[in-house]
Amino acid sequence: MKTEMQLFSLTQKSKTNIFFSIYTFKIVKKFINLKNLIFFNLIIYTTYTLIYYLILYRYCQLLCMTLNNMSIDNVCLHGFMRQKERVSALNRFKSNHVRTLIATDVAARGLDIPSVQLVINHRLPRTPTEYIHRVGRTARAGRKGVAISILRFPRDLELLGEIEATINTKLTEHPIDRKC
């Protein structure tokens, strides 16, 4: 059974040098092929230093292991890791030995890593404040950055409206001719 998704992008440059993008998936069948979604995001942006945010730690760990099995070098960061493991993962990412950090919201606040060029939210965070903290990991110290979020249509429309109101930026829709 093939999953068919219609893909749209909402992109707007903000006053903070962050380019916001929202990818909206209208699910035609029940199952979303997560592998296609991951490849779409990571393969296009392989030249970027990126943080890929997931909601649950087990998905974070699973994606990290999956990417390692596919020879995509990355580190994982979530709250169920020992402190020593978290520090080691952060040091590898900060020193640019690894360009991809797979994380939960434990990495949304307090990290100052100026080299982050891209933030991908696999799902919108639960609150606009968390969204601001996540995308704030990019475009640090006057640099430019890109923030991409995957929106579940129509479930996340209300949350998207809250985020737009909070960041005072209305995102416009740009269709992308792609089906997964």
Side-chain angles (χ1 to χ4, degrees), residues 124-140:
L124 287 179
R126 296 176 185 101
T127 65
T129 304
E130 285 301 314
Y131 176 83
I132 291 167
H133 285 289
R134 283 182 179 188
V135 301
R137 300 306 98 208
T138 189
R140 314 264 311 163

Side-chain angles (χ1 to χ4, degrees), residues 4 8 19 30 63 82 94 102 106 108 111 116 118 133 135 155 178:
E4 200 173 325
F8 302 93
F19 288 87
K30 287 185 179 181
L63 178 57
R82 293 188 320 243
K94 278 182 166 180
I102 311 296
V106 75
L111 295 183
V116 175
L118 173 65
H133 285 289
V135 301
R155 269 190 241 177
R178 179 179 173 93

Side-chain angles (χ1 to χ4, degrees), residues 26-67:
K26 182 177 180 185
I27 302 168
V28 177
K29 296 192 175 153
K30 287 185 179 181
F31 178 73
I32 293 177
N33 189 339
L34 180 61
K35 187 172 143 187
N36 287 345
L37 205 59
I38 293 165
F39 277 121
F40 174 73
N41 284 308
L42 290 180
I43 290 173
I44 289 175
Y45 298 104
T46 53
T47 61
Y48 285 86
T49 301
L50 69 97
I51 301 177
Y52 197 105
Y53 284 103
L54 291 120
I55 299 280
L56 300 174
Y57 84 91
R58 65 179 170 263
Y59 295 143
C60 181
Q61 190 67 43
L62 181 63
L63 178 57
C64 183
M65 292 186 308
T66 302
L67 293 176

